[in-house]
Amino acid sequence: MSSRTLPLLFINLGGEMLYILDQRLRAQNIPADKAKKVMNDIITTMFNKKFLEELFKPQELYSKKALRTVFDRLAHASIMRLNQASMDKLYDLMTMAFKYQVLLCPRPKDLLLVSFNHMDAIKDFVKDTPSILSQVDETYRQLIEMYTPLSSGEFQLIRQTLLIFFQDMHIRVSIFLKDKVQNSNGRFVLPTSGPVPHGTQVPGLIRIFSCTGEEITRLKFNNGGNYAAALREGSYDIFGDRVTKLGTNMYSISRPVETHMSGTSKNSAQHTKVSAAPNPLAKEELNLLARLMGGLEVQKPGNADTGFRINLFATDEEEEEALISRPDELSYGVINIQATKDQQANAELAKIMGEFTESGDQSPTACSKGDDLLAMMDGL
Amino acid sequence: MYHKEKSIQIKNSASALYNNLSVLRIAPRRLTHFTVVHANMVNMVSASWDGLNYTHRQLQSKEPNVATSTSLIMQAAFCVLPSRDLLVLTSQKGIQMYESDGSIMVYWHALDTPETPTGKHTAFRYNCFTRVSSGAFLVFDVPSKGSNITLSEVLEEHKESITDMASECSGSQECIANLVTADDDGNLCVWKSGEEFQLLNKIPGFDMSCSSVKLWKGTVVAGYGTGQIRLYEAVTGILHAEINAHARWIYSVDVAPFSGLLLSAAEDSLVRVWHMTINPDTNSVEVAHLHNECVTDTQICGAKFCDGDGYAFAVTGYDLSEIIRYIQS
């Protein structure tokens, strides 16, 4: 499968996370300056140079567990806190939204346009902060450099790799159910109408040619749908009209974010058994995590003056209830470093932390920074 | 023309891979094998013709030095050879060949280059082919019994990774071209088998991936990412027909050789049945549309006729844990 999938997965999931957090920050009436700080901190961490370097290397997709841990860290990159139930719900919404976008992409190359829609929105979040803005612009350039030369076949392979990652996920999302883009069984609606993708003709025509290349017959057939001609192509530049709405922010104050846990059909909970054998990818995943730590400024956790908690549910009671009633098969198995029995993984992480304190480009307080980071990891 | 029959449930859902369904009809035992790929494993179900017995088996990709492999399987396909049938699996780490009921692995070829194989295999005479993503394809010599399978040739002609290949072996007719290979740029290569394989023709693509290809009576039937199907005369490369067939990427085309029925399936949820005929005056192929089936809210990834006449066909879709079957009314 494609080794160029991870950057797109990360950026699009990150974008969805920011949409949801932005909506919740407003809904909970968090003061504007605090809300802005949270958004800025998360975006700064997301686009940290070293982190992106690691991300853009050709590699296999991370395991679901590892990716969830990365996003856990990202969500906690600032003064905001989330309980387990809210974090679970946040991740459900992010993943189902991106799965929807990947499935509905008219052609595989449009996946890049979806990514640009997310990038455009992120750029808008930080438009007042030049330092972060330049990081975002740099990422646009990296995306364009890496993805615009790819053929349609290579994009399809990326898309197929993503679809394997999202296989069997059928969590019902209230906003999708309301808009009738998702059925009550959790499957997305695939319309047999609307514009065809750019480069495709409306189905319905058979042309027969003679041996000399002249068209001898034209036959029409019923295509069983209600298709229209393709729309114009979206822009693949840093600026431009992307044309597609996939990847734009679908949330607003009036559209609450809820998910349904109960009634998820049995079939949808088929996850591949997690192998008990040591994961050979663990080192790479830890590398990325470590890079993410490295880009993080030490925040004093739980400071009563500045810290606050975000709830993805309407009330605290609902949040507690959701945690208790979450079906086992839908748990993400987030890596809890403190509790892990995998001595090797723990040792690896400690070693990487150690590397940070020894390398030249650390500040004079490197040792304490390493300790602080490790302490924060333990609290995950 | 066709109506839906009882579906066969499978243990896992189908992954979004081209041509993700393979069918083998075993007439003497009155049963049919079906294989569907799910990530790192292959679900195989053997269905008896009376509809009473279903046996399931799961095969996993194999990797050296690892007990349970997580490497993804690209394709599983049955190869029909004169004296035996094989089930060939290609994963990111290598190629595995099994007896057709999946019971015994008879051969394993590790791919030493780190590139990802996009294995598809078809059979002709005594050879079995598998393609790898460098654009090369491997030819294996398969004996009529046993596991003494050897790699005999590596053919490199395509610049892009090969997506599909098809062969034709019509016993009585004098066939010039036996094999066609398609790649991610839409280029088609037509070959003649023999002591060494000979390239007969190259039909250029238009930078649009050809995801599925079949060979019938010297005609190449190719399905493309744009949703078009094109019929070319294999040896000359003359375009005989062009169909604006689907609104999305085509994932599978199949031909029922005795009747000339053609099956196409795409991400647009539609399966279409067509009829190909050879015009005796012009000796060129013509095609007409016969039937549509819509698998609601499903991106179809595999569609195959279950018999040589096209009396029945089966369909798989992404995230679907069943094999849907249709039979002529």
Side-chain angles (χ1 to χ4, degrees):
Chain A
M1 304 308 285
S2 178
S3 55
R4 283 182 266 238
T5 315
L6 190 57
L8 293 184
L9 182 60
F10 180 77
I11 286 171
N12 284 291
L13 284 180
E16 286 301 316
M17 182 173 88
L18 289 166
Y19 290 158
I20 298 164
L21 290 177
D22 176 59
Q23 200 266 324
R24 291 312 294 162
L25 288 165
R26 282 174 219 268
Q28 273 183 232
N29 293 311
I30 303 293
D33 61 319
K34 280 194 182 177
K36 194 139 183 81
K37 176 165 172 53
V38 169
M39 297 296 281
N40 282 354
D41 284 348
I42 294 178
I43 294 171
T44 307
T45 312
M46 232 178 109
F47 292 98
N48 170 270
K49 191 164 188 279
K50 279 217 160 78
F51 177 64
L52 286 181
E53 243 172 54
E54 186 67 41
L55 193 78
F56 271 81
K57 284 185 191 156
Q59 60 195 303
E60 300 270 309
L61 268 193
Y62 281 26
S63 66
K64 288 198 173 126
K65 217 194 254 192
L67 201 67
R68 166 61 199 263
T69 309
V70 169
F71 278 104
D72 258 21
R73 279 326 269 116
L74 201 56
H76 287 92
S78 187
I79 54 178
M80 180 188 73
R81 288 284 165 269
L82 288 115
N83 287 342
Q84 164 105 9
S86 280
M87 190 65 220
D88 283 346
K89 182 172 164 181
L90 173 63
Y91 199 70
D92 285 346
L93 292 173
M94 284 159 56
T95 41
M96 287 310 285
F98 189 41
K99 179 174 183 175
Y100 170 70
Q101 289 151 16
V102 173
L103 261 178
L104 271 286
C105 254
R107 39 163 212 177
K109 197 167 180 195
D110 292 345
L111 211 51
L112 194 52
L113 293 175
V114 172
S115 312
F116 283 142
N117 269 332
H118 282 117
M119 290 290 293
D120 291 344
I122 292 171
K123 193 163 171 177
D124 192 60
F125 283 133
V126 294
K127 61 178 185 283
D128 301 325
T129 324
S131 56
I132 317 176
L133 202 54
S134 64
Q135 280 177 272
V136 176
D137 279 339
E138 178 54 33
T139 312
Y140 268 107
R141 275 186 281 275
Q142 280 186 287
L143 283 172
I144 290 173
E145 191 187 307
M146 183 166 195
Y147 291 102
T148 44
L150 295 186
S151 67
S152 58
E154 283 168 301
F155 269 109
Q156 180 65 287
L157 194 62
I158 291 174
R159 186 172 170 276
Q160 290 173 338
T161 311
L162 287 169
L163 287 177
I164 290 183
F165 186 83
F166 290 127
Q167 191 132 9
D168 301 322
M169 292 186 66
H170 301 296
I171 298 164
R172 286 144 58 209
V173 176
S174 175
I175 208 174
F176 286 142
L177 295 169
K178 282 209 185 88
D179 287 348
K180 304 229 186 307
V181 299
Q182 190 180 29
N183 295 318
S184 54
N185 62 4
R187 289 165 191 274
F188 291 116
V189 173
L190 300 180
T192 52
S193 58
V196 291
H198 192 85
T200 293
Q201 303 296 317
V202 174
L205 185 65
I206 304 174
R207 300 165 75 196
I208 313 275
F209 300 93
S210 72
C211 293
T212 52
E214 285 164 46
E215 187 187 295
I216 19 180
T217 327
R218 276 196 162 217
L219 300 163
K220 288 234 163 91
F221 67 90
N222 177 14
N223 62 29
N226 188 12
Y227 300 107
L231 301 173
R232 68 193 183 288
E233 200 176 13
S235 160
Y236 291 93
D237 287 325
I238 297 187
F239 301 101
D241 179 9
R242 312 299 178 190
V243 180
T244 179
K245 292 281 161 278
L246 295 170
T248 55
N249 195 345
M250 58 179 168
Y251 302 105
S252 67
I253 296 288
S254 54
R255 309 190 100 198
V257 285
E258 296 167 58
T259 54
H260 293 263
M261 283 289 109
S262 60
T264 320
S265 68
K266 258 199 298 221
N267 279 340
S268 71
Q270 279 167 338
H271 293 279
T272 322
K273 267 213 167 72
V274 177
S275 167
N279 182 0
L281 286 181
K283 176 137 201 264
E284 281 65 40
E285 293 169 352
L286 290 169
N287 276 339
L288 186 67
L289 211 52
R291 292 264 178 238
L292 190 57
M293 302 305 113
L296 191 59
E297 266 200 28
V298 177
Q299 302 283 349
K300 285 238 157 67
N303 184 325
D305 291 341
T306 51
F308 63 92
R309 190 171 64 81
I310 270 278
N311 189 343
L312 270 272
F313 297 85
T315 62
D316 286 349
E317 290 71 36
E318 251 189 68
E319 192 187 42
E320 238 181 80
E321 178 57 41
L323 182 65
I324 300 165
S325 63
R326 189 179 179 86
D328 279 337
E329 61 263 17
L330 290 173
S331 76
Y332 286 104
V334 173
I335 297 171
N336 182 343
I337 306 293
Q338 201 171 29
T340 186
K341 291 192 179 68
D342 189 338
Q343 292 298 325
Q344 191 193 20
N346 226 351
E348 277 293 321
L349 196 61
K351 178 163 166 277
I352 291 167
M353 291 294 118
E355 276 168 19
F356 269 119
T357 59
E358 281 158 27
S359 69
D361 61 345
Q362 296 299 306
S363 64
T365 55
C367 286
S368 59
K369 183 175 181 174
D371 286 345
D372 282 331
L373 289 173
L374 201 53
M376 272 211 288
M377 290 283 296
D378 284 350
L380 257 182
Chain B
M1 190 185 170
Y2 286 90
H3 66 268
K4 205 165 148 192
E5 243 220 336
K6 192 173 127 193
S7 295
I8 305 175
Q9 298 302 316
I10 42 178
K11 301 280 184 212
N12 304 105
S13 57
S15 289
L17 299 163
Y18 303 144
N19 308 298
N20 192 5
L21 173 66
S22 191
V23 180
L24 183 67
R25 192 165 179 268
I26 316 250
R29 294 172 56 197
R30 301 187 63 77
L31 56 78
T32 304
H33 295 315
F34 298 87
T35 59
V36 182
V37 176
H38 170 94
N40 63 332
M41 58 181 126
V42 175
N43 287 297
M44 186 162 156
V45 59
S46 307
S48 63
W49 290 1
D50 57 9
L52 297 175
N53 286 309
Y54 296 99
T55 28
H56 296 263
R57 192 191 280 273
Q58 283 181 317
L59 302 169
Q60 251 197 336
S61 57
K62 186 174 155 58
E63 239 180 286
N65 309 322
V66 175
T68 46
S69 168
T70 53
S71 76
L72 298 173
I73 296 183
M74 312 305 300
Q75 190 153 29
F78 289 107
C79 285
V80 175
L81 300 166
S83 50
R84 73 196 293 193
D85 303 323
L86 290 176
L87 172 61
V88 185
L89 264 62
T90 343
S91 73
Q92 293 169 292
K93 295 284 192 279
I95 298 156
Q96 299 151 255
M97 297 190 193
Y98 291 81
E99 294 295 356
S100 63
D101 62 358
S103 56
I104 310 164
M105 179 158 69
V106 294
Y107 180 74
W108 178 51
H109 177 96
L111 287 163
D112 14 66
T113 48
E115 69 202 42
T116 330
T118 47
K120 156 62 181 171
H121 3 263
T122 188
F124 179 73
R125 287 221 280 242
Y126 315 109
N127 313 102
C128 200
F129 320 120
T130 306
R131 59 190 159 93
V132 292
S133 72
S134 60
F137 70 93
L138 312 177
V139 183
F140 295 90
D141 271 329
V142 180
S144 54
K145 265 207 294 271
S147 51
N148 190 17
I149 297 170
T150 51
L151 176 64
S152 82
E153 260 187 284
V154 178
L155 296 164
E156 292 171 349
E157 191 60 47
H158 290 276
K159 306 263 181 320
E160 291 298 317
S161 55
I162 298 179
T163 47
D164 197 17
M165 47 193 351
S167 65
E168 183 172 42
C169 177
S170 18
S172 53
Q173 226 175 311
E174 190 53 65
C175 255
I176 309 173
N178 317 116
L179 177 72
V180 62
T181 52
D183 72 21
D184 239 353
D185 263 353
N187 298 313
L188 302 163
C189 286
V190 181
W191 309 79
K192 181 174 167 57
S193 71
E195 272 304 310
E196 274 180 4
F197 277 76
Q198 193 194 339
L199 178 69
L200 295 181
N201 193 10
K202 255 181 125 155
I203 304 171
F206 301 99
D207 287 335
M208 175 41 69
S209 179
C210 172
S211 41
S212 195
V213 74
K214 285 287 174 295
L215 196 56
W216 180 72
K217 291 199 184 347
T219 304
V220 174
V221 182
Y224 295 86
T226 48
Q228 268 193 345
I229 297 174
R230 287 191 218 126
L231 274 59
Y232 290 98
E233 189 174 277
V235 175
T236 59
I238 294 175
L239 176 68
H240 282 305
E242 182 179 83
I243 316 174
N244 294 338
H246 287 276
R248 293 284 188 279
W249 203 285
I250 291 178
Y251 262 60
S252 189
V253 296
D254 195 27
V255 174
F258 306 143
S259 59
L261 285 178
L262 165 64
L263 191 66
S264 66
E267 285 176 354
D268 62 1
S269 307
L270 284 151
V271 187
R272 303 197 197 274
V273 185
W274 319 78
H275 190 209
M276 296 185 291
T277 44
I278 307 277
N279 185 326
D281 303 325
T282 59
N283 215 31
S284 69
V285 69
E286 292 176 351
V287 62
H289 175 256
L290 290 184
H291 185 73
N292 294 327
E293 282 291 340
C294 181
V295 186
T296 316
D297 298 335
T298 304
Q299 296 200 342
I300 302 172
C301 50
K304 281 274 189 327
F305 283 117
C306 298
D307 56 274
D309 288 298
Y311 178 68
F313 65 87
V315 169
T316 55
Y318 169 66
D319 256 357
L320 223 54
S321 300
E322 56 183 308
I323 299 171
I324 307 174
R325 289 188 296 175
Y326 299 87
I327 277 201
Q328 270 187 28
S329 308

